[in-house]
mmCIF file of all heavy atoms in Angstrom:
data_model
loop_
_atom_site.group_PDB
_atom_site.id
_atom_site.type_symbol
_atom_site.label_atom_id
_atom_site.label_comp_id
_atom_site.label_asym_id
_atom_site.label_seq_id
_atom_site.Cartn_x
_atom_site.Cartn_y
_atom_site.Cartn_z
ATOM 1 N N LEU A 12 22.986 105.116 135.197
ATOM 2 C CA LEU A 12 22.429 105.110 136.539
ATOM 3 C C LEU A 12 22.161 106.535 137.074
ATOM 4 O O LEU A 12 21.169 106.725 137.618
ATOM 5 C CB LEU A 12 23.376 104.265 137.389
ATOM 6 C CG LEU A 12 22.952 104.147 138.966
ATOM 7 C CD1 LEU A 12 21.599 103.415 139.051
ATOM 8 C CD2 LEU A 12 24.018 103.355 139.661
ATOM 9 N N TRP A 13 23.164 107.292 136.939
ATOM 10 C CA TRP A 13 23.039 108.776 137.299
ATOM 11 C C TRP A 13 21.863 109.387 136.663
ATOM 12 O O TRP A 13 20.971 110.055 137.133
ATOM 13 C CB TRP A 13 24.265 109.530 137.143
ATOM 14 C CG TRP A 13 24.176 110.929 137.473
ATOM 15 C CD1 TRP A 13 24.434 111.537 138.695
ATOM 16 C CD2 TRP A 13 23.743 111.977 136.687
ATOM 17 N NE1 TRP A 13 24.157 112.840 138.742
ATOM 18 C CE2 TRP A 13 23.782 113.177 137.389
ATOM 19 C CE3 TRP A 13 23.404 112.133 135.310
ATOM 20 C CZ2 TRP A 13 23.381 114.426 136.923
ATOM 21 C CZ3 TRP A 13 23.030 113.227 134.794
ATOM 22 C CH2 TRP A 13 23.005 114.439 135.526
ATOM 23 N N PHE A 14 21.791 109.129 135.289
ATOM 24 C CA PHE A 14 20.679 109.725 134.506
ATOM 25 C C PHE A 14 19.308 109.362 134.969
ATOM 26 O O PHE A 14 18.447 110.117 135.157
ATOM 27 C CB PHE A 14 20.844 109.322 132.979
ATOM 28 C CG PHE A 14 20.120 110.056 132.088
ATOM 29 C CD1 PHE A 14 20.678 111.171 131.319
ATOM 30 C CD2 PHE A 14 18.735 109.779 131.797
ATOM 31 C CE1 PHE A 14 19.857 111.871 130.429
ATOM 32 C CE2 PHE A 14 17.969 110.528 130.796
ATOM 33 C CZ PHE A 14 18.576 111.554 130.236
ATOM 34 N N ILE A 15 19.189 108.067 135.296
ATOM 35 C CA ILE A 15 17.857 107.522 135.883
ATOM 36 C C ILE A 15 17.568 108.183 137.134
ATOM 37 O O ILE A 15 16.421 108.551 137.343
ATOM 38 C CB ILE A 15 18.017 105.990 135.918
ATOM 39 C CG1 ILE A 15 18.048 105.312 134.567
ATOM 40 C CG2 ILE A 15 16.888 105.380 136.711
ATOM 41 C CD1 ILE A 15 18.362 103.834 134.616
ATOM 42 N N GLN A 16 18.582 108.245 137.996
ATOM 43 C CA GLN A 16 18.299 108.848 139.314
ATOM 44 C C GLN A 16 17.919 110.339 139.321
ATOM 45 O O GLN A 16 17.419 110.837 140.225
ATOM 46 C CB GLN A 16 19.534 108.616 140.160
ATOM 47 C CG GLN A 16 19.831 107.217 140.578
ATOM 48 C CD GLN A 16 21.111 106.984 141.250
ATOM 49 O OE1 GLN A 16 22.044 107.869 141.197
ATOM 50 N NE2 GLN A 16 21.321 105.843 141.843
ATOM 51 N N HIS A 17 18.267 111.107 138.168
ATOM 52 C CA HIS A 17 18.049 112.431 138.101
ATOM 53 C C HIS A 17 17.029 112.788 136.914
ATOM 54 O O HIS A 17 17.123 113.980 136.382
ATOM 55 C CB HIS A 17 19.373 113.180 137.943
ATOM 56 C CG HIS A 17 20.221 113.124 139.093
ATOM 57 N ND1 HIS A 17 21.173 111.933 139.322
ATOM 58 C CD2 HIS A 17 20.485 113.958 140.150
ATOM 59 C CE1 HIS A 17 21.772 112.194 140.448
ATOM 60 N NE2 HIS A 17 21.430 113.258 141.027
ATOM 61 N N GLN A 18 16.311 111.820 136.525
ATOM 62 C CA GLN A 18 15.372 112.098 135.475
ATOM 63 C C GLN A 18 14.464 113.396 135.770
ATOM 64 O O GLN A 18 14.242 114.111 134.796
ATOM 65 C CB GLN A 18 14.552 110.903 135.212
ATOM 66 C CG GLN A 18 15.167 109.784 134.488
ATOM 67 C CD GLN A 18 14.195 108.672 134.165
ATOM 68 O OE1 GLN A 18 13.481 108.751 133.051
ATOM 69 N NE2 GLN A 18 14.097 107.620 134.837
ATOM 70 N N ALA A 19 13.988 113.441 136.936
ATOM 71 C CA ALA A 19 12.993 114.587 137.230
ATOM 72 C C ALA A 19 13.633 115.964 136.953
ATOM 73 O O ALA A 19 13.054 116.824 136.357
ATOM 74 C CB ALA A 19 12.559 114.489 138.606
ATOM 75 N N GLU A 20 14.908 116.051 137.426
ATOM 76 C CA GLU A 20 15.610 117.415 137.194
ATOM 77 C C GLU A 20 15.900 117.616 135.725
ATOM 78 O O GLU A 20 15.912 118.633 135.240
ATOM 79 C CB GLU A 20 16.882 117.403 138.022
ATOM 80 C CG GLU A 20 16.652 117.238 139.505
ATOM 81 C CD GLU A 20 16.969 115.890 139.940
ATOM 82 O OE1 GLU A 20 16.274 114.962 139.589
ATOM 83 O OE2 GLU A 20 18.075 115.721 140.632
ATOM 84 N N LEU A 21 16.312 116.515 135.041
ATOM 85 C CA LEU A 21 16.600 116.621 133.671
ATOM 86 C C LEU A 21 15.504 116.898 132.753
ATOM 87 O O LEU A 21 15.616 117.757 131.750
ATOM 88 C CB LEU A 21 17.284 115.379 133.150
ATOM 89 C CG LEU A 21 18.670 114.944 133.796
ATOM 90 C CD1 LEU A 21 19.130 113.557 133.597
ATOM 91 C CD2 LEU A 21 19.755 115.991 133.291
ATOM 92 N N LEU A 22 14.353 116.414 133.049
ATOM 93 C CA LEU A 22 13.175 116.618 132.293
ATOM 94 C C LEU A 22 12.608 118.089 132.435
ATOM 95 O O LEU A 22 12.030 118.582 131.533
ATOM 96 C CB LEU A 22 12.020 115.680 132.719
ATOM 97 C CG LEU A 22 12.086 114.293 132.101
ATOM 98 C CD1 LEU A 22 10.994 113.378 132.848
ATOM 99 C CD2 LEU A 22 11.765 114.228 130.639
ATOM 100 N N THR A 23 12.865 118.613 133.556
ATOM 101 C CA THR A 23 12.495 120.062 133.800
ATOM 102 C C THR A 23 13.707 120.955 134.049
ATOM 103 O O THR A 23 13.723 121.824 134.894
ATOM 104 C CB THR A 23 11.601 120.069 135.006
ATOM 105 O OG1 THR A 23 12.161 119.526 136.104
ATOM 106 C CG2 THR A 23 10.333 119.196 134.763
ATOM 107 N N PHE A 24 14.755 120.711 133.222
ATOM 108 C CA PHE A 24 16.025 121.450 133.558
ATOM 109 C C PHE A 24 15.888 122.970 133.443
ATOM 110 O O PHE A 24 16.727 123.611 133.932
ATOM 111 C CB PHE A 24 17.200 120.935 132.560
ATOM 112 C CG PHE A 24 16.829 121.391 131.141
ATOM 113 C CD1 PHE A 24 17.256 122.697 130.657
ATOM 114 C CD2 PHE A 24 16.356 120.609 130.215
ATOM 115 C CE1 PHE A 24 16.985 123.033 129.370
ATOM 116 C CE2 PHE A 24 16.104 120.921 128.767
ATOM 117 C CZ PHE A 24 16.485 122.171 128.373
ATOM 118 N N GLU A 25 14.868 123.415 132.701
ATOM 119 C CA GLU A 25 14.683 124.876 132.684
ATOM 120 C C GLU A 25 14.525 125.535 134.032
ATOM 121 O O GLU A 25 14.854 126.809 134.083
ATOM 122 C CB GLU A 25 13.537 125.203 131.703
ATOM 123 C CG GLU A 25 13.713 124.769 130.216
ATOM 124 C CD GLU A 25 13.178 123.436 129.996
ATOM 125 O OE1 GLU A 25 13.012 122.640 130.899
ATOM 126 O OE2 GLU A 25 13.036 123.142 128.754
ATOM 127 N N GLU A 26 14.109 124.873 134.995
ATOM 128 C CA GLU A 26 13.875 125.430 136.297
ATOM 129 C C GLU A 26 15.108 125.702 136.984
ATOM 130 O O GLU A 26 15.244 126.493 137.920
ATOM 131 C CB GLU A 26 13.019 124.453 137.060
ATOM 132 C CG GLU A 26 11.576 124.188 136.628
ATOM 133 C CD GLU A 26 10.831 123.138 137.385
ATOM 134 O OE1 GLU A 26 11.360 122.633 138.415
ATOM 135 O OE2 GLU A 26 9.745 122.805 136.903
ATOM 136 N N ASN A 27 16.264 125.043 136.650
ATOM 137 C CA ASN A 27 17.511 125.266 137.300
ATOM 138 C C ASN A 27 18.730 124.943 136.291
ATOM 139 O O ASN A 27 19.438 124.010 136.542
ATOM 140 C CB ASN A 27 17.640 124.470 138.510
ATOM 141 C CG ASN A 27 18.782 124.801 139.333
ATOM 142 O OD1 ASN A 27 19.404 125.870 139.295
ATOM 143 N ND2 ASN A 27 19.246 123.813 140.337
ATOM 144 N N GLN A 28 18.574 125.532 135.161
ATOM 145 C CA GLN A 28 19.422 125.129 133.943
ATOM 146 C C GLN A 28 20.878 124.977 134.199
ATOM 147 O O GLN A 28 21.547 124.031 133.969
ATOM 148 C CB GLN A 28 19.092 125.915 132.810
ATOM 149 C CG GLN A 28 19.848 125.502 131.468
ATOM 150 C CD GLN A 28 19.267 126.111 130.258
ATOM 151 O OE1 GLN A 28 18.033 126.351 130.125
ATOM 152 N NE2 GLN A 28 20.172 126.573 129.428
#
Side-chain angles (χ1 to χ4, degrees):
L12 178 61
W13 177 88
F14 194 97
I15 290 169
Q16 293 171 340
H17 293 81
Q18 284 188 81
E20 302 102 291
L21 293 166
L22 280 168
T23 59
F24 69 81
E25 291 91 347
E26 298 174 4
N27 192 17
Q28 181 168 321

